[in-house]
Amino acid sequence: MITARSGAFLSYARTDDRSSHGFISDLREEISQEMRSRTGVPFPIFQDRLNIRWGEQWDDRILNALQTSLFFLPILTPSFIRSDACQREILRFRQFERELGREDLILPLYFIDVPEIDRPARPSDEVVPILQARQFIDLRQHRGKKVEALLSDVIIDIGAEILQRLSALGSQPGRQASNPIEHTAPLDDSSFRVVSAAPAFPPLEFRDRREVFPILVDRIGKASTRLSVVTGSPGAGKTAVVSQLQSMIEAGDVLQDTSAFVYLDARGARPASVATVIEDLIECLHEQSDRDRVGRQIRDAAGSWYDAISVLFNELANRRVLYVIDGAEALLGPDGTVRDRSFRNLLDLITTRRNHAVHTILISSIRLNDRFEGYQPADAIDLQEGLPLAEIGPLVQAWSTPASAWHSGATAIDLEDLYELTAGSPRLVELLLNASLAWPDLSPAEQVARLKDIRRSHMAGVLANAAMSVLEDDVLSTIIVLAAFGRPVPDRALSHLLNSDVGASLSSLVETRFVRRDGDNYYLPPGDATHILKEAPNRQAFSKLEVMRGGAMNLIRRAADWLHDETIGRGVERVEDLSYHLRDIELRLAIGEYHVAFQKLSDVDEEYLEGWGHSDVISDMRLAVEGRLGHPNDELRNLAQYANAKSRQEQHSTALAAVERGAIHLQALGPGERPRAVQLQTLMRARIFYDDGRLAEAEAMYRAAVDDRLPVLSRAEFTQALIGAALCRAEVGDFEGALGGLIEAENYLGSTGEAPHLRAQLNYNQGLVYMYLGEYKSAVGLLGRASTRACAAGDHLLDTMAVDALALLRYCEGKSEGAAKLARRASQMAVRFGSPKISRNAYGTLALVELNRGNGDAALAAAEAAAQYAGSRKGWGAQAILGIARLRELDVAGARGAFFEALEYARLTLRKEPQNFQALEFEGLVLTGLTVAGSDDYREEARAAYAEARRLTQAPGVVKLCLLKLEDMLAEEHQGGYDAVVAAAQGIVVDAPANQSNEQLS
């Protein structure tokens, strides 16, 4: 039997990747993204640098990856041909290819001339004949270029070759039954396109929705609203409402101008993410040719999600699209606010942009408490828990089977009693109808009498247990395993744990509505899994089942082990690809394996999230293990990682509170461990204060750690303290002091190969300082070295920062084309990693560059994207640039709004640190902008702010950057009367005229 396979295995010589500055790694990423765009599902490509962790058995992981990959992509170079490891890999994969009877699953990518390939193979050669028999894709002419410089046709050709072979495999005899990639979107074209349908419900009249439907339909029909929220407790019929809405639209009863409908379950297999929304909106285009064209346009542009959504809005124009997200409580925190910053920004974009008719409907058991344009929390449509009495009869008739006493023997009084018993809850009615099969000798009235003394909170569990008592053992086992997983999983997960095929069992369970289906995944309705697992150990019918040997806890552990095994070899490109990792951790927490969960959290953090800017995705799980790890060192480490994530997300007070909670664990440490832990806590506080703009406090803490010569910190930690203190100096304009601190840090770290991440960080910060000092040649070399070292260390975040800094440097040098390319690359990299600070900076740089090039539309789009990530720490920069871009586009009112917001941010920063020269510069910039925009005459205040900034620093690079921004603000037609302001920005002291003429926009 052939192991289920997907994706591809990248076989290459690491020296080639290093010598080409990561070309091969970038190529892998581009191919993976191309295939994802073509198929709508992830296409993981295994690469040893990314997919093998320290401590793992190298050969075992390589072998496992070869056994689970569908295609083999060798990068042909002389080093590849001479590598024993590469030869073993291709020979192992060739064996699989032969078993399948195929000759086209190895796709060589020819990168550097290989003499052995171009001459007859020797008899002793095993690998060369395999390669010579294949059709190459020739990359040799692109050697020495960046991947983004590749002709888009090259990546497209590679994707087309893979897709062609993939299609052939779908009908290949001997393949596993499930296709590795499946298109779920319909391809037919009609006036109303259902991309993905809501679950089918009995065709009820929904008399209870007389008020709900007009309200919902009215909100959807208003041009001023783009977001609706339907709330209600589990089982209240929220999903049935959108199912009925879809049916009514299809029948032409309401919203006849609706063009497309999308249903996404946030609890299902597809993540409710920005990327998923983009994929679905492409599918909302009716013509296949349009879908292909727009998909290719978005891929070729390689822009941000903001750019992709903008393209789709333009394509969809004013065609109404309804995008339903069910189970949206999974996206919300306990306070009802959207957890994920990108998704919140997406909702903000949808509700504020007016050139589209995409309407989002969130179905949630928790009310959305965020405020968006056209939506306030009070606008949520709340459903009562149960259906009205009038609906119970049709519901019973539709859902009961002929074997149930309710099907034909229920009187009006029985239905009234049922309504009173269940309070009209559709889920309780559903469970009771299944449970009634366990009481064939009882009439409806007797069944109700049997249940009337049971508390409502226990009713679902009692009914579920009764319903399961009549099920066959194999069906019962399937339900219990589903309960153990607690989330949607494919049938192969259940088959694995049960060691048998579960197809028939699942079909019957779906038919009786015991189990829900979402594409290829199955799950129990909310709450049922908890009831079932709680009762399982106490029921004889459960205990006799083979699957329950060892108890429920052991079963959940086995489910977690399956999820863990599934993570091995999976390509991880973004947070959404970590779904099985996170489900594994959830189950470890459920069975109290807190140490295992903690270790897995640390692995995810260090292996993926650290280089992505500390996404907040696992913060709640860290809170779940807090106080349960037993050892104070583990508790402190967990709190530190939680605080680091929150600080990177600019939630500084939350981060600081987590550090303070560590005090109790410090006291529990022994005298030999406590000094080091105290110092690490001090460093963490310093980092949070620095991120929050509290520079004096941060520097004092860094200095305290540096001056304390007790040998408690490691070389890397002490170096980090030196870097932190130097950065505090740079923020207040003391660049010579900052450079001295960075050189001291470099000397202390020494010339060993220790801490490559820190060396990259040193190069990056040294490059920034030299740029501010105007020594651009030195800065370029250091920033380039920082990028290379960051890539080698797997720190994508720092690599993005270095590329962004290089773009800013080229902007200062007046090299607009080079600056534009680098800025676009940085912005594309930034949005992948969930760091608001880096995304804000990268888009801000891109906006400045496009302003300088005279590309007003592109500058405005980039500035709006930067403003999406604005926060109190340097949010003034994003808002100020947005104001300039709007001013250029003659949106005076919008410019004023952005300038006032920037001014508020800048002054908030100055209250924390009055000597922050950048905040002073931006204060001067936005005050100038407000004057230009006709708000009032703030030129004297602007001049004073610039003068104070120049008192702190007159570094040539700083002054140059400051003047470029001011020039962008003062377009030629508005330059008169600002001589004193410009002079102050340059550091020239002049007397300001008593009355300056103020040429304002009309």
Side-chain angles (χ1 to χ4, degrees):
M1 177 180 177
I2 298 169
T3 305
R5 293 172 178 260
S6 64
F9 184 103
L10 184 73
S11 183
Y12 70 110
R14 282 181 148 201
T15 54
D16 294 328
D17 195 34
R18 284 195 294 269
S19 64
S20 63
H21 304 290
F23 179 96
I24 294 171
S25 296
D26 290 344
L27 179 66
R28 178 202 61 80
E29 180 180 324
E30 291 295 325
I31 297 172
S32 180
Q33 290 297 324
E34 169 72 10
M35 289 304 300
R36 185 186 183 103
S37 299
R38 283 177 174 270
T39 63
V41 295
F43 187 85
I45 301 180
F46 178 92
Q47 182 180 2
D48 57 8
R49 182 176 68 82
L50 297 173
N51 299 94
I52 297 182
R53 296 178 292 188
W54 289 109
E56 287 190 297
Q57 293 297 317
W58 192 279
D59 287 342
D60 290 346
R61 287 288 287 109
I62 291 289
L63 181 58
N64 181 273
L66 286 165
Q67 290 173 338
T68 56
S69 296
L70 192 57
F71 295 97
F72 188 86
L73 306 178
I75 306 295
L76 300 192
T77 67
S79 298
F80 174 91
I81 292 296
R82 290 165 178 76
S83 166
D84 291 339
C86 293
Q87 295 214 6
R88 287 196 301 271
E89 289 165 4
I90 193 170
L91 291 173
R92 284 172 177 171
F93 191 87
R94 175 58 182 142
Q95 182 179 354
F96 154 71
E97 193 183 40
R98 286 197 187 99
E99 291 173 358
L100 199 55
R102 305 286 302 192
E103 298 287 338
D104 58 356
L105 302 183
I106 298 174
L107 285 77
L109 306 177
Y110 206 165
F111 189 44
I112 302 176
D113 285 323
V114 180
E116 290 88 339
I117 296 294
D118 299 325
R119 68 189 182 203
R122 298 187 181 95
S124 59
D125 250 333
E126 290 184 272
V127 169
V128 171
I130 297 173
L131 296 170
Q132 288 175 332
R134 312 296 165 132
Q135 181 178 353
F136 303 139
I137 291 179
D138 199 340
L139 302 177
R140 285 175 289 183
Q141 61 182 313
H142 301 291
R143 186 185 171 203
K145 300 178 182 178
K146 292 288 187 181
V147 165
E148 56 266 25
L150 275 178
L151 293 174
S152 60
D153 289 346
V154 175
I155 301 297
I156 291 170
D157 287 347
I158 295 172
E161 291 289 337
I162 296 174
L163 192 62
Q164 179 182 356
R165 290 158 172 76
L166 196 60
S167 300
L169 279 170
S171 57
Q172 177 69 19
R175 281 295 297 168
Q176 60 269 26
S178 58
N179 215 357
I181 293 182
E182 178 179 342
H183 295 275
T184 57
L187 298 179
D188 61 297
D189 295 305
S190 60
S191 58
F192 176 58
R193 178 170 170 76
V194 179
V195 174
S196 49
F201 280 80
L204 306 182
E205 297 179 19
F206 279 82
R207 288 183 287 273
D208 61 310
R209 309 306 180 197
R210 285 176 184 163
E211 296 180 359
V212 171
F213 265 89
I215 295 171
L216 180 58
V217 170
D218 182 60
R219 279 192 63 82
I220 295 170
K222 285 182 178 177
S224 59
T225 60
R226 297 287 190 275
L227 174 66
S228 296
V229 178
V230 179
T231 64
S233 60
K238 303 183 296 297
T239 304
V241 168
V242 295
S243 176
Q244 185 71 3
L245 177 64
Q246 177 191 325
S247 299
M248 294 171 71
I249 295 173
E250 287 179 301
D253 297 335
V254 296
L255 302 171
Q256 291 88 349
D257 58 342
T258 303
S259 173
F261 182 95
V262 181
Y263 175 86
L264 175 68
D265 193 336
R267 301 157 301 197
R270 300 181 71 219
S273 65
V274 175
T276 301
V277 173
I278 291 171
E279 292 166 2
D280 288 340
L281 289 181
I282 292 173
E283 291 299 323
C284 288
L285 298 168
H286 285 219
E287 298 290 337
Q288 181 65 51
S289 58
D290 288 338
R291 297 194 287 272
D292 292 342
R293 174 179 55 80
V294 174
R296 178 168 294 189
Q297 179 182 346
I298 290 173
R299 289 195 306 274
D300 290 350
S304 69
W305 67 260
Y306 183 95
D307 301 325
I309 291 290
S310 298
V311 168
L312 287 164
F313 282 171
N314 291 333
E315 286 290 335
L316 291 167
N318 291 317
R319 286 175 284 180
R320 175 177 289 121
V321 172
L322 297 187
Y323 199 104
V324 178
I325 301 179
D326 202 352
E329 63 272 7
L331 305 176
L332 308 180
D335 60 352
T337 59
V338 180
R339 295 172 186 266
D340 182 74
R341 183 185 294 265
S342 293
F343 205 86
R344 184 166 62 247
N345 291 339
L346 173 64
L347 291 177
D348 189 57
L349 182 65
I350 288 173
T351 53
T352 54
R353 289 284 287 271
R354 287 287 169 263
N355 65 330
H356 72 97
V358 176
H359 192 101
T360 305
I361 304 175
L362 301 183
I363 308 297
S364 173
S365 60
I366 301 174
R367 178 178 295 195
L368 174 66
N369 284 326
D370 282 313
R371 285 169 169 77
F372 296 96
E373 187 168 325
Y375 172 82
Q376 301 291 324
D379 295 329
I381 303 170
D382 293 317
L383 300 189
Q384 297 300 315
E385 181 177 351
L387 299 171
L389 175 60
E391 284 302 308
I392 296 299
L395 193 69
V396 167
Q397 195 62 34
W399 283 352
S400 60
T401 65
S404 169
W406 290 90
H407 190 70
S408 56
T411 66
I413 294 176
D414 292 333
L415 294 175
E416 290 179 12
D417 291 341
L418 175 61
Y419 174 75
E420 183 178 349
L421 177 73
T422 62
S425 166
R427 182 56 182 161
L428 289 181
V429 172
E430 194 174 51
L431 286 172
L432 187 144
L433 295 175
N434 277 312
S436 69
L437 300 177
W439 309 317
D441 299 329
L442 298 182
S443 67
E446 290 170 327
Q447 292 180 22
V448 170
R450 180 171 184 165
L451 296 166
K452 67 179 182 179
D453 292 331
I454 297 173
R455 293 170 59 184
R456 182 77 49 74
S457 59
H458 296 166
M459 183 72 71
V462 170
L463 292 174
N465 289 331
M468 287 188 293
S469 67
V470 296
L471 298 177
E472 298 291 335
D473 284 358
D474 55 345
V475 179
L476 190 58
S477 297
T478 301
I479 289 178
I480 293 173
V481 172
L482 262 183
F485 277 103
R487 290 289 190 96
V489 288
D491 55 2
R492 58 190 174 83
L494 311 178
S495 297
H496 177 82
L497 264 65
L498 291 169
N499 198 28
S500 63
D501 181 49
V502 297
S505 298
L506 285 172
S507 296
S508 66
L509 289 168
V510 170
E511 186 177 347
T512 57
R513 301 191 52 74
F514 226 120
V515 165
R516 303 287 193 256
R517 180 174 183 174
D518 176 22
D520 289 335
N521 291 273
Y522 300 84
Y523 64 98
L524 289 163
D528 286 12
T530 304
H531 292 305
I532 291 168
L533 290 177
K534 185 177 180 181
E535 291 294 326
N538 305 322
R539 293 184 59 83
Q540 184 177 358
F542 289 178
S543 61
K544 70 178 183 179
L545 297 173
E546 180 70 24
V547 74
M548 284 301 295
R549 287 192 178 180
M553 302 286 271
N554 183 59
L555 179 59
I556 296 174
R557 185 177 295 108
R558 290 175 58 205
D561 289 342
W562 182 87
L563 290 167
H564 170 76
D565 291 343
E566 285 291 300
T567 65
I568 298 173
R570 276 182 173 248
V572 176
E573 303 292 335
R574 53 186 184 175
V575 171
E576 288 83 354
D577 298 332
L578 292 170
S579 59
Y580 274 23
H581 298 74
L582 302 185
R583 290 184 194 179
D584 176 16
I585 297 170
E586 284 178 350
L587 294 187
R588 305 294 177 183
L589 292 172
I591 58 177
E593 291 188 350
Y594 298 114
H595 273 283
V596 176
F598 168 63
Q599 187 55 54
K600 288 177 177 287
L601 286 170
S602 298
D603 289 345
V604 168
D605 224 340
E606 293 164 9
E607 192 168 344
Y608 304 112
L609 303 185
E610 174 70 32
W612 292 350
H614 277 281
S615 170
D616 213 17
V617 69
I618 61 174
S619 291
D620 287 347
M621 294 179 182
R622 290 209 172 279
L623 291 179
V625 302
E626 184 181 341
R628 291 169 166 167
L629 298 175
H631 195 284
N633 271 329
D634 288 340
E635 295 286 356
L636 288 167
R637 182 181 169 201
N638 182 60
L639 284 169
Q641 289 172 319
Y642 174 81
N644 208 359
K646 289 298 180 183
S647 184
R648 293 289 184 91
Q649 293 294 313
E650 301 185 333
Q651 299 175 32
H652 303 115
S653 59
T654 303
L656 194 59
V659 175
E660 300 305 330
R661 291 202 301 274
I664 189 173
H665 303 298
L666 286 174
Q667 299 305 316
L669 290 172
E673 296 175 300
R674 191 177 301 136
R676 170 177 163 76
V678 168
Q679 287 286 51
L680 291 177
Q681 291 286 85
T682 300
L683 289 180
M684 178 57 70
R685 284 192 188 91
R687 191 175 307 141
I688 295 169
F689 283 148
Y690 174 81
D691 287 342
D692 194 26
R694 297 159 66 175
L695 301 177
E697 294 166 278
E699 185 175 10
M701 290 182 177
Y702 280 129
R703 287 292 172 197
V706 169
D707 294 340
D708 186 349
R709 292 295 178 177
L710 289 175
V712 295
L713 294 178
S714 69
R715 182 184 296 270
E717 291 158 353
F718 192 84
T719 303
Q720 189 69 67
L722 289 169
I723 293 174
L727 294 183
C728 292
R729 288 285 85 210
E731 290 278 349
V732 296
D734 180 9
F735 296 112
E736 295 296 341
L739 191 58
L742 293 172
I743 292 172
E744 182 184 359
E746 187 173 33
N747 291 336
Y748 185 83
L749 192 59
S751 59
T752 65
E754 185 183 354
H757 165 76
L758 271 183
R759 294 183 186 282
Q761 195 180 112
L762 274 167
N763 291 152
Y764 168 74
N765 288 303
Q766 288 168 335
L768 277 185
V769 170
Y770 276 116
M771 180 178 73
Y772 288 136
L773 290 171
E775 299 183 28
Y776 296 141
K777 185 174 181 180
S778 297
V780 167
L782 286 162
L783 291 172
R785 199 177 310 154
S787 175
T788 301
R789 284 179 164 172
C791 282
D795 192 337
H796 308 293
L797 185 70
L798 187 56
D799 180 29
T800 304
M801 293 165 64
V803 173
D804 176 54
L806 281 166
L808 197 61
L809 189 151
R810 295 305 187 198
Y811 166 73
C812 291
E813 290 181 313
K815 299 177 179 178
S816 58
E817 288 299 323
K821 288 181 181 179
L822 288 165
R824 280 194 292 270
R825 179 183 168 199
S827 62
Q828 292 158 15
M829 294 163 69
V831 294
R832 292 183 55 208
F833 305 127
S835 169
K837 172 185 173 183
I838 306 309
S839 298
R840 179 174 65 236
N841 290 350
Y843 276 114
T845 302
L846 180 59
L848 284 174
V849 171
E850 296 296 0
L851 279 170
N852 189 256
R853 300 172 75 206
N855 296 335
D857 290 342
L860 183 59
E864 287 177 342
Q868 296 287 333
Y869 298 95
S872 59
R873 173 71 166 139
K874 296 191 178 179
W876 23 269
Q879 291 294 337
I881 295 167
L882 177 59
I884 298 172
R886 286 176 175 171
L887 204 58
R888 284 285 190 89
E889 295 299 302
L890 301 182
D891 177 7
V892 179
R896 287 178 192 150
F899 287 143
F900 274 121
E901 193 164 349
L903 186 62
E904 181 182 347
Y905 283 145
R907 288 179 171 171
L908 174 63
T909 300
L910 289 169
R911 284 196 292 273
K912 296 175 182 177
E913 177 49 71
Q915 297 191 72
N916 188 312
F917 78 91
Q918 292 186 67
L920 285 165
E921 286 184 344
F922 272 96
E923 183 183 31
L925 185 68
V926 297
L927 287 168
T928 304
L930 285 169
T931 306
V932 172
S935 180
D936 209 334
D937 191 342
Y938 296 103
R939 282 175 289 181
E940 177 53 28
E941 291 180 61
R943 187 195 65 78
Y946 276 127
E948 179 62 14
R950 291 292 77 83
R951 184 186 68 79
L952 293 170
T953 179
Q954 294 193 30
V958 170
V959 175
K960 173 74 171 179
L961 186 57
C962 175
L963 290 174
L964 283 171
K965 294 170 187 172
L966 193 54
E967 287 170 10
D968 287 331
M969 175 77 75
L970 300 174
E972 289 183 10
E973 60 269 28
H974 309 303
Q975 284 183 355
Y978 294 89
D979 292 347
V981 174
V982 174
Q986 291 175 303
I988 301 172
V989 180
V990 298
D991 292 328
N995 293 296
Q996 295 179 333
S997 63
N998 181 17
E999 299 182 13
Q1000 299 173 348
L1001 286 173
S1002 57

